[in-house]
Amino acid sequence: GSFAMEAVARQFAGGAACTLKLPLAAICVDRQEILVNSTQIVTALTIDANGSSVIGAPTALTANGFFRLRWDAVMKTWYRVG
């Protein structure tokens, strides 16, 4: 299935700040993955897991950087897998 994610970015001198809001647990499928990439430098990255946990979330991204999160339905947790 598909779902919407929300990302809010603010530009400031030397980079950008971004908050990425992940989907609610109720609409996620076990082992579902999310790939996030950015063409710009993100110096302050916040992951909002909508009440769930995130293990290994990055706090910044380089230009053309990326990461992947995988959902564990039993633990109600997103884990960084790449």
PDB file of all heavy atoms in Angstrom, residues 14-45:
ATOM      1  N   GLY A  14      24.363  27.893   6.252  1.00  0.00           N
ATOM      2  CA  GLY A  14      25.171  26.711   6.468  1.00  0.00           C
ATOM      3  C   GLY A  14      24.423  25.399   6.317  1.00  0.00           C
ATOM      4  O   GLY A  14      24.996  24.342   6.472  1.00  0.00           O
ATOM      5  N   GLY A  15      23.155  25.411   5.988  1.00  0.00           N
ATOM      6  CA  GLY A  15      22.439  24.148   5.807  1.00  0.00           C
ATOM      7  C   GLY A  15      20.947  24.312   5.946  1.00  0.00           C
ATOM      8  O   GLY A  15      20.411  25.387   5.773  1.00  0.00           O
ATOM      9  N   ALA A  16      20.291  23.224   6.282  1.00  0.00           N
ATOM     10  CA  ALA A  16      18.840  23.235   6.408  1.00  0.00           C
ATOM     11  C   ALA A  16      18.446  22.370   7.594  1.00  0.00           C
ATOM     12  O   ALA A  16      19.142  21.440   7.969  1.00  0.00           O
ATOM     13  CB  ALA A  16      18.188  22.701   5.138  1.00  0.00           C
ATOM     14  N   ALA A  17      17.305  22.685   8.179  1.00  0.00           N
ATOM     15  CA  ALA A  17      16.725  21.864   9.236  1.00  0.00           C
ATOM     16  C   ALA A  17      15.505  21.180   8.642  1.00  0.00           C
ATOM     17  O   ALA A  17      14.777  21.760   7.855  1.00  0.00           O
ATOM     18  CB  ALA A  17      16.325  22.728  10.428  1.00  0.00           C
ATOM     19  N   CYS A  18      15.285  19.927   9.011  1.00  0.00           N
ATOM     20  CA  CYS A  18      14.166  19.178   8.448  1.00  0.00           C
ATOM     21  C   CYS A  18      13.566  18.282   9.521  1.00  0.00           C
ATOM     22  O   CYS A  18      14.291  17.647  10.294  1.00  0.00           O
ATOM     23  CB  CYS A  18      14.655  18.326   7.280  1.00  0.00           C
ATOM     24  SG  CYS A  18      13.339  17.362   6.505  1.00  0.00           S
ATOM     25  N   THR A  19      12.250  18.234   9.563  1.00  0.00           N
ATOM     26  CA  THR A  19      11.532  17.280  10.398  1.00  0.00           C
ATOM     27  C   THR A  19      10.772  16.346   9.472  1.00  0.00           C
ATOM     28  O   THR A  19      10.010  16.802   8.630  1.00  0.00           O
ATOM     29  CB  THR A  19      10.540  17.978  11.353  1.00  0.00           C
ATOM     30  OG1 THR A  19      11.272  18.837  12.219  1.00  0.00           O
ATOM     31  CG2 THR A  19       9.768  16.957  12.178  1.00  0.00           C
ATOM     32  N   LEU A  20      11.008  15.047   9.619  1.00  0.00           N
ATOM     33  CA  LEU A  20      10.353  14.032   8.807  1.00  0.00           C
ATOM     34  C   LEU A  20       9.347  13.305   9.683  1.00  0.00           C
ATOM     35  O   LEU A  20       9.721  12.715  10.695  1.00  0.00           O
ATOM     36  CB  LEU A  20      11.383  13.046   8.261  1.00  0.00           C
ATOM     37  CG  LEU A  20      10.846  11.907   7.411  1.00  0.00           C
ATOM     38  CD1 LEU A  20      10.248  12.449   6.119  1.00  0.00           C
ATOM     39  CD2 LEU A  20      11.953  10.922   7.112  1.00  0.00           C
ATOM     40  N   LYS A  21       8.083  13.370   9.315  1.00  0.00           N
ATOM     41  CA  LYS A  21       7.027  12.723  10.096  1.00  0.00           C
ATOM     42  C   LYS A  21       6.668  11.389   9.447  1.00  0.00           C
ATOM     43  O   LYS A  21       6.186  11.347   8.315  1.00  0.00           O
ATOM     44  CB  LYS A  21       5.805  13.628  10.183  1.00  0.00           C
ATOM     45  CG  LYS A  21       4.757  13.125  11.134  1.00  0.00           C
ATOM     46  CD  LYS A  21       3.697  14.179  11.386  1.00  0.00           C
ATOM     47  CE  LYS A  21       2.781  13.751  12.494  1.00  0.00           C
ATOM     48  NZ  LYS A  21       1.867  14.827  12.862  1.00  0.00           N
ATOM     49  N   LEU A  22       6.908  10.294  10.179  1.00  0.00           N
ATOM     50  CA  LEU A  22       6.635   8.949   9.671  1.00  0.00           C
ATOM     51  C   LEU A  22       5.154   8.615   9.805  1.00  0.00           C
ATOM     52  O   LEU A  22       4.447   9.216  10.607  1.00  0.00           O
ATOM     53  CB  LEU A  22       7.482   7.930  10.442  1.00  0.00           C
ATOM     54  CG  LEU A  22       8.990   8.114  10.315  1.00  0.00           C
ATOM     55  CD1 LEU A  22       9.716   7.099  11.188  1.00  0.00           C
ATOM     56  CD2 LEU A  22       9.439   7.999   8.884  1.00  0.00           C
ATOM     57  N   PRO A  23       4.669   7.624   9.052  1.00  0.00           N
ATOM     58  CA  PRO A  23       3.248   7.260   9.112  1.00  0.00           C
ATOM     59  C   PRO A  23       2.882   6.624  10.453  1.00  0.00           C
ATOM     60  O   PRO A  23       3.740   6.082  11.160  1.00  0.00           O
ATOM     61  CB  PRO A  23       3.084   6.258   7.974  1.00  0.00           C
ATOM     62  CG  PRO A  23       4.445   5.769   7.670  1.00  0.00           C
ATOM     63  CD  PRO A  23       5.389   6.851   8.060  1.00  0.00           C
ATOM     64  N   LEU A  24       1.606   6.685  10.779  1.00  0.00           N
ATOM     65  CA  LEU A  24       1.089   6.052  11.995  1.00  0.00           C
ATOM     66  C   LEU A  24       1.269   4.541  11.934  1.00  0.00           C
ATOM     67  O   LEU A  24       1.173   3.931  10.866  1.00  0.00           O
ATOM     68  CB  LEU A  24      -0.394   6.373  12.167  1.00  0.00           C
ATOM     69  CG  LEU A  24      -0.741   7.820  12.498  1.00  0.00           C
ATOM     70  CD1 LEU A  24      -2.237   8.050  12.360  1.00  0.00           C
ATOM     71  CD2 LEU A  24      -0.269   8.163  13.903  1.00  0.00           C
ATOM     72  N   ALA A  25       1.513   3.939  13.088  1.00  0.00           N
ATOM     73  CA  ALA A  25       1.712   2.484  13.177  1.00  0.00           C
ATOM     74  C   ALA A  25       0.537   1.704  12.578  1.00  0.00           C
ATOM     75  O   ALA A  25       0.731   0.655  11.966  1.00  0.00           O
ATOM     76  CB  ALA A  25       1.925   2.078  14.632  1.00  0.00           C
ATOM     77  N   ALA A  26      -0.662   2.213  12.724  1.00  0.00           N
ATOM     78  CA  ALA A  26      -1.863   1.501  12.269  1.00  0.00           C
ATOM     79  C   ALA A  26      -1.882   1.271  10.761  1.00  0.00           C
ATOM     80  O   ALA A  26      -2.540   0.335  10.290  1.00  0.00           O
ATOM     81  CB  ALA A  26      -3.110   2.267  12.699  1.00  0.00           C
ATOM     82  N   ILE A  27      -1.162   2.083   9.999  1.00  0.00           N
ATOM     83  CA  ILE A  27      -1.190   1.905   8.540  1.00  0.00           C
ATOM     84  C   ILE A  27       0.092   1.274   7.999  1.00  0.00           C
ATOM     85  O   ILE A  27       0.222   1.093   6.798  1.00  0.00           O
ATOM     86  CB  ILE A  27      -1.485   3.231   7.807  1.00  0.00           C
ATOM     87  CG1 ILE A  27      -0.369   4.259   8.050  1.00  0.00           C
ATOM     88  CG2 ILE A  27      -2.842   3.782   8.204  1.00  0.00           C
ATOM     89  CD1 ILE A  27      -0.496   5.495   7.194  1.00  0.00           C
ATOM     90  N   CYS A  28       1.026   0.925   8.884  1.00  0.00           N
ATOM     91  CA  CYS A  28       2.289   0.311   8.448  1.00  0.00           C
ATOM     92  C   CYS A  28       2.157  -1.209   8.409  1.00  0.00           C
ATOM     93  O   CYS A  28       1.434  -1.799   9.196  1.00  0.00           O
ATOM     94  CB  CYS A  28       3.415   0.695   9.403  1.00  0.00           C
ATOM     95  SG  CYS A  28       3.775   2.451   9.360  1.00  0.00           S
ATOM     96  N   VAL A  29       2.889  -1.814   7.493  1.00  0.00           N
ATOM     97  CA  VAL A  29       2.922  -3.266   7.328  1.00  0.00           C
ATOM     98  C   VAL A  29       4.263  -3.770   7.860  1.00  0.00           C
ATOM     99  O   VAL A  29       5.298  -3.142   7.624  1.00  0.00           O
ATOM    100  CB  VAL A  29       2.775  -3.633   5.833  1.00  0.00           C
ATOM    101  CG1 VAL A  29       2.872  -5.130   5.630  1.00  0.00           C
ATOM    102  CG2 VAL A  29       1.467  -3.093   5.278  1.00  0.00           C
ATOM    103  N   ASP A  30       4.253  -4.897   8.575  1.00  0.00           N
ATOM    104  CA  ASP A  30       5.486  -5.445   9.128  1.00  0.00           C
ATOM    105  C   ASP A  30       6.556  -5.566   8.050  1.00  0.00           C
ATOM    106  O   ASP A  30       6.287  -6.023   6.943  1.00  0.00           O
ATOM    107  CB  ASP A  30       5.215  -6.808   9.766  1.00  0.00           C
ATOM    108  CG  ASP A  30       6.378  -7.297  10.609  1.00  0.00           C
ATOM    109  OD1 ASP A  30       7.030  -6.465  11.265  1.00  0.00           O
ATOM    110  OD2 ASP A  30       6.636  -8.515  10.620  1.00  0.00           O
ATOM    111  N   ARG A  31       7.764  -5.115   8.362  1.00  0.00           N
ATOM    112  CA  ARG A  31       8.948  -5.143   7.496  1.00  0.00           C
ATOM    113  C   ARG A  31       8.877  -4.135   6.341  1.00  0.00           C
ATOM    114  O   ARG A  31       9.685  -4.170   5.423  1.00  0.00           O
ATOM    115  CB  ARG A  31       9.252  -6.553   7.008  1.00  0.00           C
ATOM    116  CG  ARG A  31       9.475  -7.521   8.179  1.00  0.00           C
ATOM    117  CD  ARG A  31       9.998  -8.860   7.808  1.00  0.00           C
ATOM    118  NE  ARG A  31      11.249  -8.863   7.068  1.00  0.00           N
ATOM    119  CZ  ARG A  31      12.480  -8.715   7.586  1.00  0.00           C
ATOM    120  NH1 ARG A  31      12.612  -8.532   8.867  1.00  0.00           N
ATOM    121  NH2 ARG A  31      13.545  -8.760   6.817  1.00  0.00           N
ATOM    122  N   GLN A  32       7.903  -3.255   6.375  1.00  0.00           N
ATOM    123  CA  GLN A  32       7.810  -2.185   5.386  1.00  0.00           C
ATOM    124  C   GLN A  32       9.043  -1.302   5.501  1.00  0.00           C
ATOM    125  O   GLN A  32       9.541  -1.056   6.604  1.00  0.00           O
ATOM    126  CB  GLN A  32       6.557  -1.366   5.662  1.00  0.00           C
ATOM    127  CG  GLN A  32       6.366  -0.169   4.778  1.00  0.00           C
ATOM    128  CD  GLN A  32       5.046   0.517   5.053  1.00  0.00           C
ATOM    129  OE1 GLN A  32       4.153  -0.044   5.669  1.00  0.00           O
ATOM    130  NE2 GLN A  32       4.926   1.746   4.604  1.00  0.00           N
ATOM    131  N   GLU A  33       9.546  -0.810   4.392  1.00  0.00           N
ATOM    132  CA  GLU A  33      10.723   0.046   4.401  1.00  0.00           C
ATOM    133  C   GLU A  33      10.409   1.414   3.802  1.00  0.00           C
ATOM    134  O   GLU A  33       9.569   1.537   2.914  1.00  0.00           O
ATOM    135  CB  GLU A  33      11.875  -0.603   3.637  1.00  0.00           C
ATOM    136  CG  GLU A  33      12.401  -1.835   4.318  1.00  0.00           C
ATOM    137  CD  GLU A  33      13.659  -2.381   3.686  1.00  0.00           C
ATOM    138  OE1 GLU A  33      14.126  -1.835   2.662  1.00  0.00           O
ATOM    139  OE2 GLU A  33      14.191  -3.368   4.237  1.00  0.00           O
ATOM    140  N   ILE A  34      11.131   2.395   4.316  1.00  0.00           N
ATOM    141  CA  ILE A  34      11.048   3.757   3.809  1.00  0.00           C
ATOM    142  C   ILE A  34      12.463   4.178   3.435  1.00  0.00           C
ATOM    143  O   ILE A  34      13.388   4.042   4.236  1.00  0.00           O
ATOM    144  CB  ILE A  34      10.485   4.716   4.876  1.00  0.00           C
ATOM    145  CG1 ILE A  34       9.045   4.362   5.199  1.00  0.00           C
ATOM    146  CG2 ILE A  34      10.606   6.155   4.418  1.00  0.00           C
ATOM    147  CD1 ILE A  34       8.469   5.162   6.339  1.00  0.00           C
ATOM    148  N   LEU A  35      12.633   4.664   2.221  1.00  0.00           N
ATOM    149  CA  LEU A  35      13.919   5.181   1.766  1.00  0.00           C
ATOM    150  C   LEU A  35      13.815   6.704   1.723  1.00  0.00           C
ATOM    151  O   LEU A  35      12.897   7.253   1.111  1.00  0.00           O
ATOM    152  CB  LEU A  35      14.255   4.633   0.378  1.00  0.00           C
ATOM    153  CG  LEU A  35      15.529   5.154  -0.257  1.00  0.00           C
ATOM    154  CD1 LEU A  35      16.747   4.757   0.562  1.00  0.00           C
ATOM    155  CD2 LEU A  35      15.641   4.651  -1.689  1.00  0.00           C
ATOM    156  N   VAL A  36      14.759   7.361   2.383  1.00  0.00           N
ATOM    157  CA  VAL A  36      14.775   8.825   2.441  1.00  0.00           C
ATOM    158  C   VAL A  36      16.084   9.297   1.824  1.00  0.00           C
ATOM    159  O   VAL A  36      17.152   8.777   2.161  1.00  0.00           O
ATOM    160  CB  VAL A  36      14.671   9.326   3.897  1.00  0.00           C
ATOM    161  CG1 VAL A  36      14.752  10.838   3.959  1.00  0.00           C
ATOM    162  CG2 VAL A  36      13.395   8.814   4.546  1.00  0.00           C
ATOM    163  N   ASN A  37      16.009  10.253   0.907  1.00  0.00           N
ATOM    164  CA  ASN A  37      17.224  10.836   0.349  1.00  0.00           C
ATOM    165  C   ASN A  37      17.064  12.339   0.241  1.00  0.00           C
ATOM    166  O   ASN A  37      15.951  12.859   0.273  1.00  0.00           O
ATOM    167  CB  ASN A  37      17.575  10.212  -1.007  1.00  0.00           C
ATOM    168  CG  ASN A  37      16.610  10.620  -2.072  1.00  0.00           C
ATOM    169  OD1 ASN A  37      15.405  10.612  -1.856  1.00  0.00           O
ATOM    170  ND2 ASN A  37      17.104  10.976  -3.228  1.00  0.00           N
ATOM    171  N   SER A  38      18.200  13.018   0.139  1.00  0.00           N
ATOM    172  CA  SER A  38      18.184  14.472   0.035  1.00  0.00           C
ATOM    173  C   SER A  38      19.275  14.907  -0.934  1.00  0.00           C
ATOM    174  O   SER A  38      20.396  14.389  -0.890  1.00  0.00           O
ATOM    175  CB  SER A  38      18.446  15.103   1.407  1.00  0.00           C
ATOM    176  OG  SER A  38      18.558  16.505   1.287  1.00  0.00           O
ATOM    177  N   THR A  39      18.955  15.843  -1.795  1.00  0.00           N
ATOM    178  CA  THR A  39      19.961  16.387  -2.708  1.00  0.00           C
ATOM    179  C   THR A  39      20.738  17.522  -2.041  1.00  0.00           C
ATOM    180  O   THR A  39      21.752  17.953  -2.563  1.00  0.00           O
ATOM    181  CB  THR A  39      19.307  16.909  -3.998  1.00  0.00           C
ATOM    182  OG1 THR A  39      18.358  17.921  -3.651  1.00  0.00           O
ATOM    183  CG2 THR A  39      18.630  15.789  -4.764  1.00  0.00           C
ATOM    184  N   GLN A  40      20.227  17.987  -0.904  1.00  0.00           N
ATOM    185  CA  GLN A  40      20.843  19.104  -0.187  1.00  0.00           C
ATOM    186  C   GLN A  40      21.405  18.640   1.159  1.00  0.00           C
ATOM    187  O   GLN A  40      20.996  17.610   1.693  1.00  0.00           O
ATOM    188  CB  GLN A  40      19.798  20.209   0.069  1.00  0.00           C
ATOM    189  CG  GLN A  40      19.100  20.699  -1.175  1.00  0.00           C
ATOM    190  CD  GLN A  40      20.060  21.345  -2.145  1.00  0.00           C
ATOM    191  OE1 GLN A  40      20.891  22.168  -1.749  1.00  0.00           O
ATOM    192  NE2 GLN A  40      19.975  20.981  -3.416  1.00  0.00           N
ATOM    193  N   ILE A  41      22.306  19.424   1.733  1.00  0.00           N
ATOM    194  CA  ILE A  41      22.810  19.151   3.070  1.00  0.00           C
ATOM    195  C   ILE A  41      21.713  19.461   4.083  1.00  0.00           C
ATOM    196  O   ILE A  41      21.073  20.508   4.018  1.00  0.00           O
ATOM    197  CB  ILE A  41      24.047  20.019   3.366  1.00  0.00           C
ATOM    198  CG1 ILE A  41      25.198  19.643   2.439  1.00  0.00           C
ATOM    199  CG2 ILE A  41      24.469  19.889   4.829  1.00  0.00           C
ATOM    200  CD1 ILE A  41      26.376  20.590   2.522  1.00  0.00           C
ATOM    201  N   VAL A  42      21.478  18.530   4.983  1.00  0.00           N
ATOM    202  CA  VAL A  42      20.541  18.734   6.089  1.00  0.00           C
ATOM    203  C   VAL A  42      21.372  18.649   7.361  1.00  0.00           C
ATOM    204  O   VAL A  42      21.888  17.592   7.710  1.00  0.00           O
ATOM    205  CB  VAL A  42      19.423  17.673   6.095  1.00  0.00           C
ATOM    206  CG1 VAL A  42      18.487  17.892   7.276  1.00  0.00           C
ATOM    207  CG2 VAL A  42      18.646  17.698   4.784  1.00  0.00           C
ATOM    208  N   THR A  43      21.523  19.782   8.031  1.00  0.00           N
ATOM    209  CA  THR A  43      22.398  19.823   9.202  1.00  0.00           C
ATOM    210  C   THR A  43      21.668  19.512  10.501  1.00  0.00           C
ATOM    211  O   THR A  43      22.303  19.213  11.503  1.00  0.00           O
ATOM    212  CB  THR A  43      23.081  21.194   9.320  1.00  0.00           C
ATOM    213  OG1 THR A  43      22.080  22.206   9.335  1.00  0.00           O
ATOM    214  CG2 THR A  43      24.040  21.421   8.161  1.00  0.00           C
ATOM    215  N   ALA A  44      20.353  19.571  10.482  1.00  0.00           N
ATOM    216  CA  ALA A  44      19.559  19.255  11.677  1.00  0.00           C
ATOM    217  C   ALA A  44      18.329  18.461  11.240  1.00  0.00           C
ATOM    218  O   ALA A  44      17.360  19.023  10.742  1.00  0.00           O
ATOM    219  CB  ALA A  44      19.147  20.528  12.404  1.00  0.00           C
ATOM    220  N   LEU A  45      18.392  17.138  11.396  1.00  0.00           N
ATOM    221  CA  LEU A  45      17.305  16.264  10.965  1.00  0.00           C
ATOM    222  C   LEU A  45      16.607  15.673  12.189  1.00  0.00           C
ATOM    223  O   LEU A  45      17.248  15.090  13.054  1.00  0.00           O
ATOM    224  CB  LEU A  45      17.850  15.131  10.089  1.00  0.00           C
ATOM    225  CG  LEU A  45      16.847  14.074   9.621  1.00  0.00           C
ATOM    226  CD1 LEU A  45      15.760  14.702   8.754  1.00  0.00           C
ATOM    227  CD2 LEU A  45      17.570  12.974   8.861  1.00  0.00           C
TER     228      LEU A  45
END
